[in-house]
Amino acid sequence: MQILDGKALSKKIETEVAASCASLKEKTGRVPGLAVILVGNDPASQAYVGMKKKACDRVGFYSVTHEMPENISQEAIEQTIEMMNENPNIDGILIQLPLPPHIDTTRLLELVAPHKDVDGFHPFNVGRLATGLDGFVPCTPLGVMELLAEYGIDVEGKECVVVGASNIVGKPMAALLLNANATVTVTHIYTKDLAAHTKNADIVLVGAGVINLVREDMVKQGAVVIDIGINRTEDGRLVGDVDYDNVAPKCSYITPVPGGVGPMTIAMLLKNTLKAAQLHAEEAR
C-alpha cells in the first residue's frame, strides 16, 4: 500500500506556479489576481479562505477578499461580482460556498465571467468539460487527476466508481475520468446497493461527506481509493469518508485525510488562476 501524498505534490506545484508567476510578471508586467467573496461567519469557510490567501501570498499572486455580512442582499453581491468582472487586475473570481439560504447561488455563479471562473462552476465551463473541450475545471476533481498522474496511475480502461454526485466534486470527477477513457459508474444517495458497485472497482473515488461510508468489505484487494471527504468528528479530528485504518491494508494506493486531496484543491486553484492570467496577458498583446 502506498499513500498518495497530496501535501508533497501541492508544494511541488506551488513552486512551479511561483516560477511561472515570476516569468509572467517579467515578460508582461502582469501579476495574477484572485478575488474571493466570503459571506457570513462560517468558521470552515473563513478557514478555507484564509488558506487560499496564504497560498496566493506564497506564489506571488495579488489577492483580495470581499467579506460580507450574513444578511447581505443579493443585489449587493451581484454588484461586487460585476465590478470584479470589469476589473482588469482580477484574473480569477471565487465565491466561497455555501452561501446563506436567502441568496440565489446559481444566479451568482452564472454572473461570474466564464474567463474568470477559476472554480469551474459556470455552465459555460461545465459544458466545455462535459464535451472534452479546454476550459476551467473544478479544483478538487482536477487535483485528484493530478495526484493520479503524479503516481503513474493510468485510468484508461479502468473501472472507476465515483461515490457522490455533487456539482462541485462528483459530476466533474466523472466527466474528467470519462475524458481520460475510464469506464465510470456514478453512485449517490439513491443508489440501492453501493457495495455492489465499489467491490468491482479498480479505482474508488469517494466524496459524499459521510464518515466511514466506505468500509473494508466494500473494496477489492489492490484497489486505488481516493478519499475526497472532509468531516470533523465529535472529538475534533478531521477524517474522510473511508474507514482508513481498515481499508488501507487492502489498497495499492490510498489518500489520507488530511494531507491527500485537500492540499491539491488549493494547488489547482493557483494553477487555474495562473492559467486565467496567462490567457488575459495573451489577449492584451
Side-chain angles (χ1 to χ4, degrees):
M1 184 271 291
Q2 186 171 354
I3 287 173
L4 297 172
D5 189 344
K7 200 170 180 182
L9 179 54
S10 70
K11 285 180 180 172
K12 179 178 164 186
I13 290 167
E14 275 194 19
T15 302
E16 293 166 357
V17 169
S20 296
C21 177
S23 173
L24 183 70
K25 185 180 178 183
E26 187 182 334
K27 288 176 186 171
T28 68
R30 185 173 197 96
V31 174
L34 176 68
V36 178
I37 288 179
L38 175 62
V39 181
N41 303 309
D42 178 64
S45 290
Q46 288 179 324
Y48 287 139
V49 169
M51 287 160 66
K52 289 166 185 172
K53 171 147 187 31
K54 285 177 184 170
C56 285
D57 291 344
R58 287 196 298 269
V59 297
F61 287 7
Y62 161 73
S63 70
V64 59
T65 302
H66 294 273
E67 295 189 44
M68 301 177 174
E70 186 84 18
N71 61 355
I72 189 93
S73 69
Q74 176 88 17
E75 186 183 23
I77 305 178
E78 288 180 10
Q79 286 173 348
T80 304
I81 292 171
E82 297 278 21
M83 179 183 73
M84 292 188 293
N85 280 340
E86 298 298 321
N87 186 337
N89 297 316
I90 296 297
D91 299 294
I93 300 170
L94 184 152
I95 302 170
Q96 183 63 42
L97 303 177
L99 293 169
H102 71 281
I103 298 297
D104 183 347
T105 299
T106 301
R107 172 153 173 76
L108 294 185
L109 295 177
E110 289 181 347
L111 204 57
V112 174
H115 62 282
K116 295 191 178 189
D117 171 38
V118 289
D119 252 343
F121 295 159
H122 192 286
F124 176 86
N125 285 314
V126 174
R128 290 187 72 84
L129 171 59
T131 50
L133 298 171
D134 184 49
F136 290 105
V137 176
C139 300
T140 298
L142 189 61
V144 170
M145 296 303 284
E146 287 263 348
L147 204 46
L148 292 170
E150 175 72 8
Y151 284 83
I153 301 167
D154 186 5
V155 303
E156 187 171 342
K158 300 282 175 58
E159 293 282 344
C160 297
V161 171
V162 178
V163 182
S166 71
N167 291 333
I168 294 172
V169 176
K171 289 176 187 174
M173 188 77 256
L176 282 167
L177 291 165
L178 271 175
N179 291 346
N181 301 320
T183 300
V184 184
T185 301
V186 180
T187 63
H188 42 74
I189 196 167
Y190 297 106
T191 299
K192 288 187 168 64
D193 186 353
L194 178 59
H197 298 282
T198 57
K199 275 179 184 173
N200 297 317
D202 301 310
I203 304 175
V204 181
L205 308 102
V206 196
V210 180
I211 295 174
N212 290 343
L213 177 63
V214 173
R215 303 177 304 276
E216 179 265 340
D217 61 342
M218 295 170 67
V219 298
K220 70 179 184 182
Q221 194 69 36
V224 176
V225 174
I226 307 294
D227 192 348
I228 308 169
I230 297 182
N231 312 287
R232 200 170 284 281
T233 61
E234 288 180 5
D235 60 3
R237 289 179 302 119
L238 275 182
V239 297
D241 292 352
V242 175
D243 179 8
Y244 183 89
D245 290 344
N246 294 307
V247 171
K250 286 184 83 171
C251 298
S252 54
Y253 296 90
I254 191 169
T255 56
V257 177
V261 176
M264 293 302 298
T265 300
I266 292 178
M268 293 303 101
L269 174 64
L270 296 176
K271 278 191 85 166
N272 277 354
T273 305
L274 174 66
K275 175 180 174 177
Q278 290 168 331
L279 289 170
H280 294 155
E282 281 176 27
E283 287 166 9
R285 276 181 192 170

